[in-house]
Amino acid sequence: MQVAVLLPCYNEEAAIAETIAGFKKHLPDATIYVFDNNSKDRTVEIAAANGAVVRSVVQQGKGNVVRRMFADIDADVYVMADGDLTYDPAAAPDMVRLLWDRQLDMVVGTRHHEAEEAYRGGHVLGNKAFTSLLAWLFGRSFSDIFSGYRAFSKRYAKSFPALSAGFETETEMSVHALELRMPTGEVATRYGARPEGSESKLNTFRDGWRILKTIGRLFRVEKPREFYGTLALAIQVAAIILAVPLFITYLETGQVPRFPTAILVTGMSIVAVLTFFAGLTIAAISRQRQEMRRLAYLALPAPGQSTPK
């Protein structure tokens, strides 16, 4: 079994050496890849000196790095983590073993933090809110949809479209597994604080807004019947509310004096019907697209053909 440890990095000179050492210790047979994303410090030099295979990705953003990692690396199992030493390498063997033995396609390392500085309160609240939103929109979810610590099968890595550019890629990973009904699992992992000299690249409000837009886009693309049906219902309800006074006036006087409102109500009703049928049409196209993704996923071998070391 070939295991590849994938570490996307941007200015992680303070932590990358210890991160590589940790994964070497707990996954001694794995090949460790550091994908540098235009670092301006000594990340590349330190990673190479510590025995990692270093690759460079010019397009800025974690999503762009993930796309390149899955495209370039060929392995049976992929373990993805950050190069900032916040994820515990000791959990990696359990994640690999769970994925391989149970023939899963993705195992999420669910973060449990002890140090307050490791995981800010706003991030905890946002994680819970977005996790609940994802479960409401797609029927089920994961305990920690934003975790960057994951193990993947080859069939997952090679079928994942990776359309996002930034930190919203974890959300896209979760939705991809949910929509294709892939077998998945979770392993509780320790989440620590960054070492001194390492700074987070996350921006709570900017990245939160991007994640919210990603969830909305994925809901529109993956669930078009529900998305456009809800939109059509909202337009029709608004039209009915505007039409109620017109009906009351007509019943009392037999006249319709507010023609602009009547025309608006008629137009809104037509738009609602068109929106609903557009949703049905797009749903049929989305179904075909999902079937093609499923076939591409099934064309690759399943994990778990032998026992991992």
Side-chain angles (χ1 to χ4, degrees):
M1 181 180 60
Q2 294 178 320
V3 179
V5 177
L6 309 178
L7 303 175
C9 290
Y10 175 65
N11 293 340
E12 297 294 356
E13 66 176 5
I16 189 61
E18 195 170 347
T19 302
I20 294 172
F23 281 105
K24 278 188 173 182
K25 175 183 177 181
H26 295 286
L27 293 175
D29 297 326
T31 303
I32 300 176
Y33 296 88
V34 170
F35 278 76
D36 180 69
N37 197 201
N38 302 314
S39 293
K40 299 175 178 61
D41 59 7
R42 298 174 59 246
T43 298
V44 171
E45 179 184 341
I46 295 173
N50 282 271
V53 179
V54 180
R55 303 284 179 87
S56 296
V57 181
V58 177
Q59 291 177 298
Q60 196 67 39
K62 187 174 183 179
N64 293 320
V65 178
V66 169
R67 186 183 309 113
R68 181 72 177 274
M69 291 192 305
F70 286 169
D72 289 1
I73 305 305
D74 191 33
D76 297 313
V77 176
Y78 301 77
V79 177
M80 186 184 77
D82 292 339
D84 56 12
L85 201 61
T86 53
Y87 295 113
D88 185 10
D94 291 336
M95 295 170 66
V96 171
R97 191 175 297 109
L98 178 65
L99 182 135
W100 195 261
D101 290 347
R102 297 191 182 180
Q103 296 185 325
L104 306 179
D105 286 305
M106 182 173 71
V107 174
V108 180
T110 305
R111 295 171 290 182
H112 293 276
H113 63 285
E114 298 176 357
E116 185 176 349
E117 62 272 18
Y119 208 4
R120 286 176 284 179
H123 290 178
V124 174
L125 180 62
N127 196 350
K128 291 180 178 179
F130 282 122
T131 297
S132 300
L133 177 62
L134 201 68
W136 180 62
L137 293 176
F138 292 94
R140 62 192 182 98
S141 184
F142 299 92
S143 301
D144 187 0
I145 63 170
F146 297 144
S147 174
Y149 198 11
R150 305 184 184 220
F152 306 97
S153 67
K154 183 175 184 177
R155 56 167 40 172
Y156 181 100
K158 298 304 181 181
S159 67
F160 179 57
L163 300 177
S164 298
F167 285 103
E168 64 272 21
T169 188
E170 281 94 358
T171 305
E172 189 180 26
M173 289 176 181
S174 300
V175 172
H176 179 63
L178 294 175
E179 278 303 287
L180 292 189
R181 298 178 178 86
M182 295 181 180
T184 60
E186 295 182 324
V187 170
T189 65
R190 182 184 61 83
Y191 188 68
R194 284 172 169 267
E196 186 177 354
S198 177
E199 297 181 0
S200 175
K201 287 78 180 176
L202 291 174
N203 182 291
T204 302
F205 296 103
R206 180 195 63 199
D207 292 320
W209 172 242
R210 291 176 65 176
I211 290 167
L212 184 61
K213 288 195 299 182
T214 298
I215 292 177
R217 174 179 61 82
L218 291 171
F219 181 62
R220 174 177 58 82
V221 172
E222 303 293 347
K223 301 282 188 180
R225 185 168 51 190
E226 291 81 354
F227 177 84
Y228 289 100
T230 302
L231 184 60
L233 179 61
I235 295 173
Q236 189 60 60
V237 169
I240 292 173
I241 293 173
L242 291 173
V244 168
L246 298 180
F247 278 108
I248 294 175
T249 302
Y250 177 77
L251 292 174
E252 291 176 349
T253 65
Q255 298 179 347
V256 183
R258 289 174 285 182
F259 279 104
T261 304
I263 295 172
L264 176 63
V265 168
T266 303
M268 292 176 66
S269 298
I270 293 173
V271 170
V273 172
L274 292 176
T275 301
F276 175 74
F277 282 103
L280 294 181
T281 303
I282 297 173
I285 298 173
S286 178
R287 175 76 176 186
Q288 293 179 342
R289 173 175 164 271
Q290 191 179 64
E291 289 174 354
M292 293 177 63
R293 289 163 55 196
R294 181 73 181 177
L295 290 174
Y297 158 77
L298 293 175
L300 295 165
Q305 302 303 315
S306 61
T307 303
K309 296 180 181 180

